[in-house]
Amino acid sequence: MFLGTEQQRLTGLRQIAYLKETYFSDSKNKLETIFDQTSDKLKTTLCFHAGLKRRHTLLTYSELKPEEQLKIAQALLSLRHFTARYTGEFC
């Protein structure tokens, strides 16, 4: 039994759909595309932020271990929240 409002239920369903698409899609997921197509400089920054080694920048997303893939996802979300917070303040 759901005890929230209809708005909260719809928000939850949208979040579940987003997570399914991002992490459990049969096709190549967005994280894999981002990681594999980013420049070497940005990939180095991302791996550093995720706490990974420099050798990880030479791998493709599918070659990373599941724990490393999770760290990349968390680092991307962290950087996304950081940039969203300060958008427009440095222009």
Side-chain angles (χ1 to χ4, degrees):
M1 182 173 167
F2 183 72
L3 300 176
T5 65
E6 183 64 18
Q7 180 67 26
Q8 290 171 328
R9 186 181 78 77
L10 292 174
T11 301
L13 290 174
R14 278 194 302 274
Q15 287 294 82
I16 290 170
Y18 171 77
L19 292 172
K20 281 183 177 180
E21 181 182 327
T22 302
Y23 297 106
F24 303 107
S25 176
D26 290 336
S27 63
K28 195 171 184 179
N29 73 33
K30 293 177 185 176
L31 291 173
E32 185 173 2
T33 302
I34 291 169
F35 187 80
D36 290 345
Q37 293 181 357
T38 193
S39 68
D40 290 339
K41 184 176 180 178
L42 290 176
K43 194 182 277 192
T44 301
T45 301
L46 182 60
C47 286
F48 174 79
H49 189 65
L52 300 177
K53 305 286 185 199
R54 187 166 191 87
R55 66 179 174 81
H56 291 101
T57 62
L58 304 174
L59 302 175
T60 63
Y61 186 81
S62 60
E63 294 173 329
L64 296 172
K65 296 177 186 172
E67 308 86 44
E68 296 164 344
Q69 291 177 354
L70 179 60
K71 287 181 179 183
I72 292 293
Q74 291 169 337
L76 274 172
L77 287 174
S78 174
L79 291 170
R80 178 180 172 204
H81 291 298
F82 176 78
T83 57
R85 172 179 251 172
Y86 298 106
T87 299
E89 291 190 22
F90 297 111
C91 294

